[in-house]
Amino acid sequence: MTGARPGSDGDDDTSLRTRGNGPDTEPPAASPWRPGRGPVVCLGETMAAMAPAPPHTLDGAESLRLSVAGAESNVAMYLADLGLPVSWLSAVGDDALGRRVRAAVEGAGVDVSGVRTDPARPTGLLLKDPGAAGTRVHYYRQGSAASALGPDVLDDARVGGAALLHLTGVTPALSPSCRALVERALDTPRARRTHAVSFDVNHRPALWPPDTAPAVLRDLADRADIVFVGLDEAQELWGAGLSEADVRRLLSGPRVLVVKDGGRGATAFTERGVCTVPALAAKVVEPVGAGDAFAAGFLAGLWRSTDLTRALRLGHITAASALKVVGDHGPLPDGDTVEAMLALTERDWCRAPAR
């Protein structure tokens, strides 16, 4: 595990606009860049989700469990769990599933007052099919309410007042208007942004026409401030033999790049160095949602102005809570347990099980 320069107490409330766009514009003693402390907005589609209870597969189950699933709302719910002020922007249909989605996200402590209700389009639906080789996901989201979102959603006052906007690579795959939305969010040069932009590559091959995702996702990711990508998905998108350092060379633009290597660990690259933290040993019930949980934990760590090691640890702790449940959103350990785990020595962290 590689250590990271700790954040200084005086940096906590420094806004993005006063930080400049690189180390040459920062004071020599400044800690690695982080977004300002303020509200977070997560923007993207959330669907109703149906899945059999483990260990059943979809074709053998006699009943299905109804929940909600969406990368961006997963992040929002975990950020709320971790005490951050967060809003979710999206659209749902004027139907029972849309009401279920809205209530579930709101029930987790997320502001959903900016979520639109579309009277003409339905709420998306997905079916999870767990199996020995992993979980297959079947989407029924074409023509959904959220697929009709466009750049105008960025005019919402919540975005204007945010310190951080979180997006994923799912949204530009949904429709031309959704891709235009993400393009607009990333068009403003970093030095002129009033809020930071976080982007999780979140490659979903089933949503993309053949041979289009690699170039689009690389371009979008390289324009964000904070980027999350799995090493396996980077290898699938941009080259089978890529290492974490290779991914950084491909995505040199982000101020912070986090490359996740499954159950092994995660590495954060910044302008001031590299920090790697091993993952916690955890029993996996269902892996879907763990990447979103990790992103939320890491972002919460940056928001709190902790050092990169603690931010990565908080990502792993949060991800472990998602691994333990069939749904995408599991309960976090209590605050005292989290703080104790963040304070562990390097040796004890490497031996610690997920709580």
Side-chain angles (χ1 to χ4, degrees):
M1 187 189 308
T2 303
R5 183 191 301 268
S8 62
D9 292 340
D11 281 342
D12 286 5
D13 295 316
T14 305
S15 71
L16 177 65
R17 284 172 286 187
T18 63
R19 282 189 169 278
N21 194 28
D24 56 323
T25 60
E26 294 180 337
S31 62
W33 175 89
R34 60 174 63 91
R37 293 190 69 171
V40 180
V41 172
C42 299
L43 197 166
E45 180 172 35
T46 294
M47 297 163 288
M50 301 186 74
H56 300 291
T57 59
L58 193 58
D59 57 354
E62 295 185 359
S63 62
L64 299 176
R65 174 181 177 269
L66 179 62
S67 62
V68 302
E72 300 83 2
S73 62
N74 287 342
V75 173
M77 289 190 283
Y78 275 114
L79 289 174
D81 289 342
L82 291 162
L84 276 66
V86 57
S87 300
W88 170 56
L89 296 182
S90 189
V92 295
D94 187 11
D95 49 38
L97 294 181
R99 292 188 289 275
R100 180 77 172 248
V101 165
R102 187 194 297 266
V105 179
E106 183 177 28
V110 178
D111 173 17
V112 300
S113 58
V115 175
R116 303 175 180 181
T117 298
D118 189 325
R121 299 177 179 87
T123 304
L125 174 68
L126 68 81
L127 297 178
K128 291 183 180 181
D129 188 9
T135 299
R136 296 182 60 194
V137 178
H138 306 277
Y139 295 110
Y140 300 88
R141 69 199 308 176
Q142 187 172 4
S144 68
S147 72
L149 292 171
D152 65 298
V153 74
L154 297 171
D155 297 329
D156 188 286
R158 296 163 190 79
V159 177
L164 176 68
L165 172 65
H166 180 71
L167 305 165
T168 80
V170 174
T171 301
L174 297 181
S175 68
S177 65
C178 282
R179 180 169 168 181
L181 186 167
V182 178
E183 292 276 0
R184 180 181 163 189
L186 291 165
D187 273 349
T188 303
R190 291 183 184 88
R192 299 212 317 265
R193 288 177 186 161
T194 59
H195 54 257
V197 181
S198 169
F199 185 81
D200 191 334
V201 171
N202 227 331
H203 179 219
R204 297 290 182 265
L207 300 179
W208 291 90
D211 303 320
T212 58
V216 173
L217 290 174
R218 181 180 174 186
D219 173 66
L220 294 173
D222 208 38
R223 287 191 269 155
D225 297 287
I226 305 166
V227 170
F228 301 92
V229 63
L231 182 60
D232 56 346
E233 69 180 339
Q235 291 168 342
E236 182 180 5
L237 284 165
W238 304 310
L242 292 178
S243 66
E244 289 91 338
D246 294 329
V247 178
R248 179 54 165 172
R249 283 187 283 272
L250 285 170
L251 299 176
S252 60
R255 304 173 191 260
V256 181
L257 169 68
V258 179
V259 183
K260 303 167 292 179
D261 190 10
R264 286 171 286 278
T267 299
F269 296 85
T270 73
E271 294 172 322
R272 295 183 177 269
V274 182
C275 177
T276 299
V277 173
L280 294 165
K283 181 179 179 181
V284 178
V285 173
E286 220 274 350
V288 177
D292 305 325
F294 179 94
F298 182 83
L299 292 173
L302 287 188
W303 190 90
R304 294 175 178 178
S305 301
T306 60
D307 60 73
L308 283 176
T309 297
R310 288 170 63 94
L312 287 168
R313 285 187 179 188
L314 188 55
H316 287 311
I317 292 168
T318 311
S321 71
L323 293 171
K324 298 175 183 178
V325 297
V326 176
D328 292 358
H329 182 224
L332 288 172
D334 64 79
D336 289 342
T337 299
V338 170
E339 288 303 317
M341 294 181 72
L342 294 177
L344 290 173
T345 65
E346 180 176 339
R347 175 178 295 182
D348 288 342
W349 171 266
C350 293
R351 297 174 175 175
R355 301 291 181 85

